[in-house]
Each structure stands twice: as C-alpha cells, then as structure tokens.
Amino acid sequence: MPNGPSNAAKSLPAYQVGSGRKGFDLAAIDPGAKPFSCGDREGDRKALDALALELDALQNLFYADRRFKLLVVLQGLDTSGKDGTIRAVFAQTSPLGVHTFAWKVPTEHERDHDYLWRIHRQVPAAGEVMIFNRSHYEDVLVPVVNRWIGADETKRRYAQINDFERLLAETGTVIAKFMLHISKDEQRERLQQRLDDPAKHWKFSLGDLDVRKQWDAYQDAYQQAIAATGTRWAPWTIVPADSKLHRNLMVASVIKDLLLGLKLRYPTGERSLDGIRIE
Amino acid sequence: MPNGPSNAAKSLPAYQVGSGRKGFDLAAIDPGAKPFSCGDREGDRKALDALALELDALQNLFYADRRFKLLVVLQGLDTSGKDGTIRAVFAQTSPLGVHTFAWKVPTEHERDHDYLWRIHRQVPAAGEVMIFNRSHYEDVLVPVVNRWIGADETKRRYAQINDFERLLAETGTVIAKFMLHISKDEQRERLQQRLDDPAKHWKFSLGDLDVRKQWDAYQDAYQQAIAATGTRWAPWTIVPADSKLHRNLMVASVIKDLLLGLKLRYPTGERSLDGIRIE
C-alpha cells in the first residue's frame, strides 16, 4: 500500500508556520522535496484523483452546514503554479460554492482606500469557499522588494494583516495560506517553456524577467512575511512545488484534513418535516 | 463678545473619551449642558451659520488635498437627532465630497459575513467625508442589551472594532465618533411630538416604545462600549443633545477643529504649469 495522506500528514509540521514558530527558514525547505508522495507517480496520481472527489463531497457538506467560511490563500513566485493548483485541487467541486479571485495591481479607486478594503469585500460568506490567487500578501512583498515602504511600515502592515485575519477567524472563517515554493532552476525552465510554446505566450510578460532578477529579495520578503504572519488562526503551509503533482497532492491533502477537522454536518431538518410523505 | 468655539473647545476634554481615560461615567454628563453655547440663542445661531460655511471651505480643501479620509460616526438613541445633526452641520457642504450612510438591520446576505464586512465597504476614500448614521456600534449595543451575546463575545468585538479602526487610522482615515446624549424626559417629548404631528409619523414605529423600555440597559451598553472603544486613534465625543442648537454647534465645532489640525493644503501644481497663459 502506498502512503495515504494520513501518513504524509505526519510530516506536515515541518512545513507549517503557525504561532510561536521560531527560527522558520524558507531556504532550508527543499522545493524538490515530496513529503506527501507515496514514492510512485501512478500512486500519487490515483491519490490526487481520490482527494479531488473527497473534496467535492466535503465542500458539498461545507455548503450545507453553513457554520463556517473557508479562505484559501495561494502565494508564490511567477510560474509557481497558482492557477494549476486551483484547477487540479478543485477539479471536482461545484462552482456554486467555490469561488476564486485573482488579484491584480490595484486600480486607482482601490488605492484610494486602505489595501485591505478590496480584500475584505471578497472574503467568503457562510458556506462558501474562496480561493485567492495572490492576495493582500502582495502588499507586504512587492513594496518591500522595491523599497517603496520601510521597515516600520512593513511591520505595521504585518500587524494589520494579523488583526484582520483574526477578525475573520473569530467570525467563523477558516484560513489556509499556502506558499508554493519553487527553485530558481525550475522557474527558468517554466519561463522558457512559456517562451517556446505559443499557446503559453499569454502567460508570459517581459516584466517577469525583471521580477526574476529580484529572486533573492523576494525569497527574503517571503521569509519575513511568513514568519510574521504565520499565526494560530491563519497558519502558512510551505508547499515544495517543483513537482506539480506533489504540489497538488499536498495542497489537496491539507485542505481535506482541515475540512475533516471541522466535524461538518448537515443541518438537522425541521421537526415539522418528520413523517411528511410526498404524494 | 460671545464665546467662540475656540473658548468652548477648552471644555472639550470633559466630553471626550480617548485612550487611557479611566472612570468615564456617561451618567455624570448632563444632557442639558451647553458647554459650547455662548449663552445667547441668537449668538449660537450665528456661530453655527459661520461654522457651516467654514466647514464647506475646509471640506473643499480636504477634497483637493486627498491625503486623508474623514469618517464621522453618529450614535445615539431614537430621537437623539442624528438626521438633524447631519442636515445642520453639513448644510453648506457639497454632496460631491460628503457622503452619508444610514445603517439598518443587516440583510441575510450581510449576516453571512462578519459584521464589519459591510462597514468596511462603505468607509471613505481619499479626500472623502463619510458620515455614518448609526454604525458598527449597533453590533455592540443591540445584541448586548438583548443578551444575544455574552461578556466574552462583547469584549472580543470591542477588540475587533479597535483593531479595525486602527487599520483605518493608520491608512489615513481621521475618525470622529459622536454619541448624541439626550435625557429620558427629552426623548418622551420628542416621541410624543412624532405621534402628534402627522408629518412626523414616518419617523415613529411601535418598536421605538420597546426600545424606550430598555433605556437603562442602553445607557449601560453605551457606557461600556464607549469606555472600551474610546481610543487615541478614534476618540468618542459625548454631545449633550437635549438642545438641538447646542448639539449642532458642538459637533460642527469639533469637526472644524479636527480639520484645522490636519494642516490641509491645496496640492502644488505641476511645475510645467508655471507661466502658462490661456489665450
């Protein structure tokens, strides 16, 4: 028997950053690691298929239960696979209860408000799953790397984000934040593929090359942001993502276990429904 | 010479609750007091007219400056004069930069989110003045008085509100919260007027009488909420409001001084505009 996710889950703490985690070191995590793999590609593929089906059933229950909201945050550098993760992990779920939002550079109207204003508008409602493709974490990455904000403002934003996420958590939102962690070599290959394949040109922009030049600064900014905002109520999971299959397997598995932990239930029907026979 | 607002402002600390204020006692503030009055009705009326004009000029400058946002929160029991205050204080300002929002019982869609979700959507943008007629404070008044939430949840909400307002303040929002403080006798007269005057029937509902029966519980809930959420970044001002004229004078004066304190300025024109002559 291949390792199921429940065995893999034992290795999860090494990849999670919650409250009180001292000495988190992003550089020490190997983007090529496969802690959630059974060691066999075919086995992993089957496990992922099974997970996608389980997630569909759980999401259905989540929608009916309506006691919780689920916010999934996907962060990662260009080509780290945010789109692909969403497609694979939520392959079987109904769009009725699963929503995604891909965050872009803020508009002028959005910039006239605090940076969490547009984020708060899009958080999930009761029974909903919302997946953020990028998020408010861009506001403590891009401006930090480009030195538009200093250390004081960066720390202030970490605190604001923690307060904001605490509000969400205390009002019923389960928050799962994933950093898709790829190596610089893997990014080179993926960018090159985008250049070489006309069907992938739409995903490439020359700006990606400038961002690639800031590789070390982004690793630093992620390191700082994750250490500062990995909390009890909104932990980060670092996902080794050089293997797409492993990345999908790990994200799906973590979300499944999170949903299982909620002890979801179908709401009990009204008493007055008892004994009714449809004629 | 009658006292101008600048003299009156000296008495303001006795009516304000910011950080570190210990022993705040709502019951000790006389709703019939007139600390901002010059002692003469005609003089007060003239002062208010002058203030409304000054507020128009300041709001114009505020709109052009665009470094700040202004959020004015008006709270108070039924008939305390929230509508009338808005009409009188902002009598001269342009609706271009001054917006109001009258909060009602949340809809089902709103209740599917945290209680600050709908509030955050309506906060002012850069250069805007937003006046809340009622606010998120209803969420620590109505459920407390009706015992829908316990002491722990109430305290959690105070902290959530303080965090939320700190985010707004740290991102450029000036927050002024006013509690319009009337006596139980004054409320009786105003409710009776609404019953006696067909033109005021639309403002009366039988529910108002039930709320009146909870008078003491509401005074308690206001006392607790104001003590817990009067902060450095979002202080409360208790406005003795049995006199409508005094209420308007005090609110207008506090907002004027707040705006003056911001050292507003017109943005400097672009250099390239220098020397251009329109022909």
Side-chain angles (χ1 to χ4, degrees):
Chain A
M1 273 297 284
N3 278 346
S6 46
N7 276 340
K10 286 178 195 159
S11 67
L12 188 58
Y15 296 90
Q16 279 197 325
V17 187
S19 76
R21 170 80 176 266
K22 299 287 178 203
F24 161 65
D25 183 9
L26 181 60
I29 296 181
D30 176 8
K34 298 183 180 181
F36 278 61
S37 169
C38 67
D40 161 62
R41 195 160 174 81
E42 195 49 40
D44 283 353
R45 213 184 293 271
K46 279 185 186 154
L48 179 59
D49 287 348
L51 276 167
L53 285 171
E54 286 179 283
L55 278 176
D56 177 42
L58 281 166
Q59 182 267 318
N60 216 19
L61 185 53
F62 188 86
Y63 186 75
D65 185 310
R66 285 173 63 90
R67 279 178 302 156
F68 304 101
K69 308 132 186 175
L70 175 61
L71 177 60
V72 176
V73 170
L74 292 183
Q75 283 288 157
L77 292 174
D78 292 329
T79 78
S80 62
K82 299 179 287 293
D83 292 351
T85 303
I86 294 171
R87 200 176 302 116
V89 173
F90 296 94
Q92 301 294 332
T93 55
S94 160
L96 188 63
V98 179
H99 307 278
T100 67
F101 203 93
W103 294 96
K104 310 288 180 194
V105 173
T107 64
E108 190 177 357
H109 179 61
E110 288 170 341
R111 273 185 282 117
D112 274 347
H113 293 85
D114 66 272
Y115 65 99
L116 291 173
W117 176 79
R118 62 178 192 156
I119 305 292
H120 204 168
R121 290 171 72 102
Q122 300 296 341
V123 298
E128 285 184 0
V129 176
M130 171 57 89
I131 306 155
F132 281 176
N133 183 337
R134 302 187 189 271
S135 67
H136 43 300
Y137 284 96
E138 295 293 315
D139 294 299
V140 284
L141 295 168
V142 181
V144 169
V145 166
N146 293 288
R147 299 181 191 215
W148 300 332
I149 62 174
D152 284 354
E153 173 61 13
T154 306
K155 278 177 91 171
R156 201 174 296 127
R157 289 191 188 186
Y158 294 152
Q160 288 162 350
I161 286 172
N162 287 343
D163 288 342
F164 170 65
E165 292 178 346
R166 194 195 302 108
L167 165 70
L168 297 184
E170 288 178 346
T171 54
T173 306
V174 176
I175 305 173
K177 303 185 293 199
F178 296 95
M179 192 251 174
L180 307 184
H181 184 44
I182 56 169
S183 65
K184 201 172 177 185
D185 285 347
E186 180 68 21
Q187 191 191 51
R188 187 200 310 109
E189 282 185 33
R190 293 186 187 180
L191 283 174
Q192 194 63 52
Q193 276 173 20
R194 288 185 181 181
L195 282 172
D196 296 345
D197 180 353
K200 289 185 177 174
H201 278 182
W202 68 278
K203 287 202 125 192
F204 185 86
S205 90
L206 285 172
D208 295 350
L209 298 182
D210 294 329
V211 173
R212 179 166 166 82
K213 284 182 194 144
Q214 297 171 308
W215 180 274
D216 290 343
Y218 269 102
Q219 297 296 317
D220 267 6
Y222 265 108
Q223 161 76 41
Q224 300 300 329
I226 290 170
T229 61
T231 53
R232 186 174 30 79
W233 55 90
W236 278 101
T237 303
I238 315 301
V239 180
D242 274 1
S243 155
K244 294 176 184 178
L245 181 55
H246 174 267
R247 171 199 77 201
N248 297 339
L249 199 59
M250 182 163 173
V251 172
S253 177
V254 170
I255 293 177
K256 189 198 97 172
D257 286 350
L258 198 59
L259 291 175
L260 280 179
L262 296 178
K263 313 276 179 219
L264 298 167
R265 55 174 194 242
Y266 287 103
T268 45
E270 299 174 32
R271 247 177 209 291
S272 56
L273 297 185
D274 289 353
I276 291 181
R277 288 286 169 274
I278 310 295
E279 300 186 359
Chain B
M1 274 298 282
N3 280 345
S6 45
N7 276 339
K10 288 178 194 160
S11 66
L12 188 58
Y15 295 90
Q16 279 196 326
V17 186
S19 76
R21 170 80 176 267
K22 300 284 179 203
F24 162 65
D25 184 8
L26 181 60
I29 296 182
D30 175 8
K34 298 183 180 179
F36 279 62
S37 169
C38 68
D40 161 64
R41 195 161 175 82
E42 195 48 40
D44 284 353
R45 213 184 294 270
K46 280 184 184 153
L48 179 59
D49 288 347
L51 275 168
L53 284 169
E54 287 179 282
L55 277 176
D56 178 41
L58 281 166
Q59 183 266 319
N60 217 19
L61 184 53
F62 188 86
Y63 186 74
D65 185 311
R66 285 175 61 93
R67 281 179 301 156
F68 304 101
K69 308 133 185 174
L70 175 61
L71 176 60
V72 176
V73 170
L74 292 182
Q75 283 287 157
L77 292 173
D78 292 328
T79 77
S80 62
K82 298 179 289 291
D83 293 350
T85 302
I86 294 172
R87 199 176 301 117
V89 173
F90 296 94
Q92 301 294 333
T93 56
S94 160
L96 189 63
V98 179
H99 308 277
T100 66
F101 202 94
W103 294 96
K104 309 290 181 193
V105 173
T107 64
E108 191 178 355
H109 180 60
E110 288 170 342
R111 272 184 282 118
D112 274 347
H113 294 85
D114 67 272
Y115 64 99
L116 292 172
W117 176 79
R118 61 178 194 157
I119 305 292
H120 205 168
R121 289 172 72 101
Q122 300 295 341
V123 298
E128 285 183 359
V129 176
M130 171 57 89
I131 306 155
F132 281 176
N133 182 338
R134 302 187 188 270
S135 68
H136 43 301
Y137 285 96
E138 295 293 316
D139 294 299
V140 284
L141 294 168
V142 181
V144 169
V145 166
N146 292 288
R147 301 181 188 213
W148 301 331
I149 61 175
D152 284 355
E153 173 63 12
T154 305
K155 277 177 92 170
R156 201 174 297 130
R157 290 194 186 185
Y158 293 153
Q160 289 162 349
I161 287 173
N162 287 342
D163 288 342
F164 171 64
E165 292 178 346
R166 193 194 303 108
L167 164 70
L168 298 183
E170 287 177 348
T171 53
T173 306
V174 177
I175 305 172
K177 303 183 293 199
F178 297 95
M179 191 252 175
L180 308 184
H181 184 45
I182 55 169
S183 63
K184 200 170 177 186
D185 285 347
E186 181 67 23
Q187 191 191 50
R188 185 200 310 110
E189 279 184 37
R190 292 186 187 180
L191 284 174
Q192 192 65 51
Q193 275 173 20
R194 288 185 179 181
L195 283 173
D196 295 346
D197 180 353
K200 290 186 176 171
H201 278 182
W202 68 277
K203 290 201 121 192
F204 185 86
S205 90
L206 285 173
D208 295 350
L209 298 182
D210 294 329
V211 173
R212 180 166 165 81
K213 283 182 195 144
Q214 297 171 306
W215 179 273
D216 290 342
Y218 269 103
Q219 298 295 316
D220 266 7
Y222 265 108
Q223 161 75 41
Q224 300 299 330
I226 291 170
T229 61
T231 54
R232 187 174 29 80
W233 56 89
W236 279 101
T237 303
I238 315 301
V239 180
D242 274 1
S243 155
K244 295 176 183 177
L245 181 55
H246 173 265
R247 172 198 76 201
N248 297 340
L249 197 59
M250 183 163 173
V251 172
S253 177
V254 169
I255 293 176
K256 190 198 97 173
D257 287 350
L258 198 59
L259 291 174
L260 280 179
L262 297 178
K263 314 277 179 219
L264 298 167
R265 54 176 194 240
Y266 287 103
T268 46
E270 299 174 34
R271 249 177 206 293
S272 56
L273 296 185
D274 288 353
I276 293 180
R277 288 286 168 274
I278 311 294
E279 298 187 1

Short mmCIF file of all heavy atoms in Angstrom, two decimals, chain B residues 1 16 20 25 40 42 44 48 62 75 80 89 97 106 110 113 130 140 149 169 198 200 206 217 225 237 239 275:
data_model
loop_
_atom_site.label_atom_id
_atom_site.label_comp_id
_atom_site.label_asym_id
_atom_site.label_seq_id
_atom_site.Cartn_x
_atom_site.Cartn_y
_atom_site.Cartn_z
N MET B 1 -18.39 90.26 23.61
CA MET B 1 -18.25 89.17 22.61
C MET B 1 -18.67 87.83 23.22
O MET B 1 -18.22 87.45 24.29
CB MET B 1 -16.77 89.06 22.17
CG MET B 1 -16.38 90.00 21.03
SD MET B 1 -17.30 89.67 19.52
CE MET B 1 -16.43 88.21 18.91
N GLN B 16 -14.74 64.15 26.07
CA GLN B 16 -14.11 63.22 25.15
C GLN B 16 -13.55 62.00 25.85
O GLN B 16 -13.08 62.07 26.99
CB GLN B 16 -13.00 63.93 24.34
CG GLN B 16 -13.62 64.71 23.17
CD GLN B 16 -12.60 65.09 22.12
OE1 GLN B 16 -11.45 65.37 22.44
NE2 GLN B 16 -13.04 65.14 20.86
N GLY B 20 -6.76 55.71 27.51
CA GLY B 20 -6.29 55.95 28.87
C GLY B 20 -7.26 56.68 29.76
O GLY B 20 -6.96 56.93 30.91
N ASP B 25 -17.83 58.20 32.98
CA ASP B 25 -19.17 57.96 33.53
C ASP B 25 -20.20 58.74 32.72
O ASP B 25 -20.38 59.93 32.91
CB ASP B 25 -19.19 58.39 35.01
CG ASP B 25 -20.52 58.07 35.67
OD1 ASP B 25 -21.37 57.40 35.03
OD2 ASP B 25 -20.73 58.50 36.82
N ASP B 40 -26.27 82.70 24.57
CA ASP B 40 -27.29 83.52 23.93
C ASP B 40 -27.73 82.82 22.64
O ASP B 40 -26.89 82.48 21.80
CB ASP B 40 -26.68 84.90 23.63
CG ASP B 40 -27.46 85.67 22.58
OD1 ASP B 40 -28.62 86.02 22.84
OD2 ASP B 40 -26.88 85.90 21.49
N GLU B 42 -29.37 83.64 19.97
CA GLU B 42 -29.12 84.30 18.68
C GLU B 42 -27.64 84.21 18.32
O GLU B 42 -27.27 83.95 17.17
CB GLU B 42 -29.56 85.77 18.76
CG GLU B 42 -29.69 86.45 17.40
CD GLU B 42 -30.49 85.61 16.39
OE1 GLU B 42 -31.51 84.99 16.78
OE2 GLU B 42 -30.05 85.54 15.22
N ASP B 44 -25.56 81.86 19.29
CA ASP B 44 -25.27 80.47 18.93
C ASP B 44 -25.68 80.19 17.48
O ASP B 44 -24.98 79.50 16.75
CB ASP B 44 -26.03 79.50 19.85
CG ASP B 44 -25.38 79.40 21.23
OD1 ASP B 44 -24.28 79.98 21.41
OD2 ASP B 44 -25.97 78.76 22.12
N LEU B 48 -23.25 78.97 14.52
CA LEU B 48 -23.47 77.75 13.75
C LEU B 48 -23.46 78.04 12.25
O LEU B 48 -22.86 77.29 11.47
CB LEU B 48 -24.79 77.09 14.16
CG LEU B 48 -25.15 75.80 13.41
CD1 LEU B 48 -24.08 74.72 13.59
CD2 LEU B 48 -26.51 75.26 13.89
N PHE B 62 -10.14 69.74 1.90
CA PHE B 62 -9.94 68.33 2.25
C PHE B 62 -10.02 67.47 0.99
O PHE B 62 -9.23 66.54 0.79
CB PHE B 62 -11.02 67.93 3.25
CG PHE B 62 -10.86 66.56 3.86
CD1 PHE B 62 -10.07 66.38 4.98
CD2 PHE B 62 -11.50 65.45 3.32
CE1 PHE B 62 -9.93 65.12 5.56
CE2 PHE B 62 -11.36 64.20 3.88
CZ PHE B 62 -10.57 64.04 5.01
N GLN B 75 -23.85 58.22 16.78
CA GLN B 75 -24.64 57.24 17.51
C GLN B 75 -25.53 57.98 18.51
O GLN B 75 -25.24 59.09 18.92
CB GLN B 75 -23.72 56.26 18.26
CG GLN B 75 -23.08 55.20 17.38
CD GLN B 75 -24.04 54.11 16.90
OE1 GLN B 75 -23.81 53.46 15.89
NE2 GLN B 75 -25.16 53.92 17.63
N SER B 80 -32.48 61.15 19.22
CA SER B 80 -31.34 61.94 19.73
C SER B 80 -30.86 62.95 18.69
O SER B 80 -30.09 63.85 19.02
CB SER B 80 -30.19 61.02 20.16
OG SER B 80 -29.72 60.28 19.06
N VAL B 89 -25.13 70.42 10.31
CA VAL B 89 -23.67 70.60 10.31
C VAL B 89 -23.14 70.66 8.89
O VAL B 89 -22.23 71.44 8.59
CB VAL B 89 -22.99 69.47 11.11
CG1 VAL B 89 -21.47 69.54 10.97
CG2 VAL B 89 -23.41 69.54 12.58
N GLY B 97 -18.27 65.65 -2.14
CA GLY B 97 -17.24 65.03 -1.29
C GLY B 97 -17.76 64.57 0.05
O GLY B 97 -17.02 64.03 0.86
N PRO B 106 -29.04 44.39 9.52
CA PRO B 106 -28.37 43.72 8.40
C PRO B 106 -29.28 42.77 7.63
O PRO B 106 -30.15 42.13 8.21
CB PRO B 106 -27.22 42.95 9.07
CG PRO B 106 -27.50 42.98 10.53
CD PRO B 106 -28.41 44.11 10.80
N GLU B 110 -25.76 40.17 4.28
CA GLU B 110 -24.77 40.83 5.14
C GLU B 110 -24.45 39.96 6.35
O GLU B 110 -23.29 39.86 6.78
CB GLU B 110 -25.29 42.20 5.58
CG GLU B 110 -25.27 43.22 4.44
CD GLU B 110 -26.00 44.52 4.77
OE1 GLU B 110 -26.81 44.53 5.74
OE2 GLU B 110 -25.80 45.51 4.06
N HIS B 113 -21.66 37.37 6.43
CA HIS B 113 -20.27 37.82 6.59
C HIS B 113 -20.06 38.32 8.01
O HIS B 113 -21.01 38.49 8.77
CB HIS B 113 -19.97 38.96 5.61
CG HIS B 113 -19.99 38.54 4.17
ND1 HIS B 113 -21.15 38.49 3.44
CD2 HIS B 113 -19.00 38.14 3.34
CE1 HIS B 113 -20.87 38.08 2.21
NE2 HIS B 113 -19.59 37.86 2.11
N MET B 130 -17.22 60.72 5.02
CA MET B 130 -18.34 59.79 5.13
C MET B 130 -18.94 59.94 6.51
O MET B 130 -18.23 59.90 7.52
CB MET B 130 -17.86 58.35 4.91
CG MET B 130 -18.90 57.28 5.21
SD MET B 130 -20.45 57.43 4.27
CE MET B 130 -20.02 56.46 2.81
N VAL B 140 -22.48 46.23 19.05
CA VAL B 140 -22.12 46.05 20.47
C VAL B 140 -23.11 46.77 21.38
O VAL B 140 -22.81 47.04 22.54
CB VAL B 140 -20.67 46.52 20.79
CG1 VAL B 140 -19.66 45.49 20.27
CG2 VAL B 140 -20.38 47.88 20.21
N ILE B 149 -25.54 38.13 22.92
CA ILE B 149 -24.13 37.76 23.06
C ILE B 149 -23.71 37.97 24.52
O ILE B 149 -24.26 38.84 25.21
CB ILE B 149 -23.20 38.56 22.12
CG1 ILE B 149 -23.25 40.07 22.40
CG2 ILE B 149 -23.54 38.30 20.65
CD1 ILE B 149 -22.26 40.89 21.58
N ALA B 169 -7.22 54.23 10.70
CA ALA B 169 -6.46 55.41 11.12
C ALA B 169 -5.03 55.36 10.57
O ALA B 169 -4.51 56.37 10.08
CB ALA B 169 -6.44 55.51 12.65
N PRO B 198 -48.68 64.55 12.17
CA PRO B 198 -48.76 63.59 11.05
C PRO B 198 -47.54 63.65 10.14
O PRO B 198 -47.15 62.63 9.58
CB PRO B 198 -50.02 64.04 10.30
CG PRO B 198 -50.84 64.76 11.32
CD PRO B 198 -49.86 65.43 12.24
N LYS B 200 -44.62 63.81 11.02
CA LYS B 200 -43.51 63.09 11.65
C LYS B 200 -43.82 61.62 11.91
O LYS B 200 -42.99 60.89 12.46
CB LYS B 200 -43.12 63.79 12.98
CG LYS B 200 -42.45 65.14 12.77
CD LYS B 200 -41.95 65.73 14.07
CE LYS B 200 -41.18 67.03 13.81
NZ LYS B 200 -40.86 67.75 15.08
N LEU B 206 -43.74 51.51 16.41
CA LEU B 206 -44.12 50.99 17.74
C LEU B 206 -42.90 50.37 18.43
O LEU B 206 -42.81 50.38 19.66
CB LEU B 206 -45.26 49.98 17.60
CG LEU B 206 -46.62 50.65 17.33
CD1 LEU B 206 -47.68 49.59 17.03
CD2 LEU B 206 -47.05 51.49 18.54
N ALA B 217 -30.74 49.80 30.17
CA ALA B 217 -29.83 48.82 29.58
C ALA B 217 -29.02 49.47 28.45
O ALA B 217 -27.83 49.19 28.26
CB ALA B 217 -30.61 47.62 29.06
N ALA B 225 -19.43 50.38 25.96
CA ALA B 225 -18.87 50.42 24.61
C ALA B 225 -17.96 51.63 24.42
O ALA B 225 -16.87 51.53 23.83
CB ALA B 225 -19.99 50.43 23.57
N THR B 237 -16.73 61.56 21.34
CA THR B 237 -17.15 62.81 21.96
C THR B 237 -18.61 62.64 22.39
O THR B 237 -19.45 62.25 21.58
CB THR B 237 -17.06 63.98 20.98
OG1 THR B 237 -15.72 64.08 20.48
CG2 THR B 237 -17.44 65.29 21.66
N VAL B 239 -21.94 64.30 23.27
CA VAL B 239 -22.53 65.60 22.95
C VAL B 239 -23.84 65.77 23.72
O VAL B 239 -24.82 65.08 23.44
CB VAL B 239 -22.82 65.69 21.44
CG1 VAL B 239 -23.43 67.04 21.09
CG2 VAL B 239 -21.57 65.42 20.63
N GLY B 275 3.72 79.74 -15.68
CA GLY B 275 3.94 80.63 -16.82
C GLY B 275 3.00 80.39 -18.00
O GLY B 275 3.05 81.14 -18.98
#
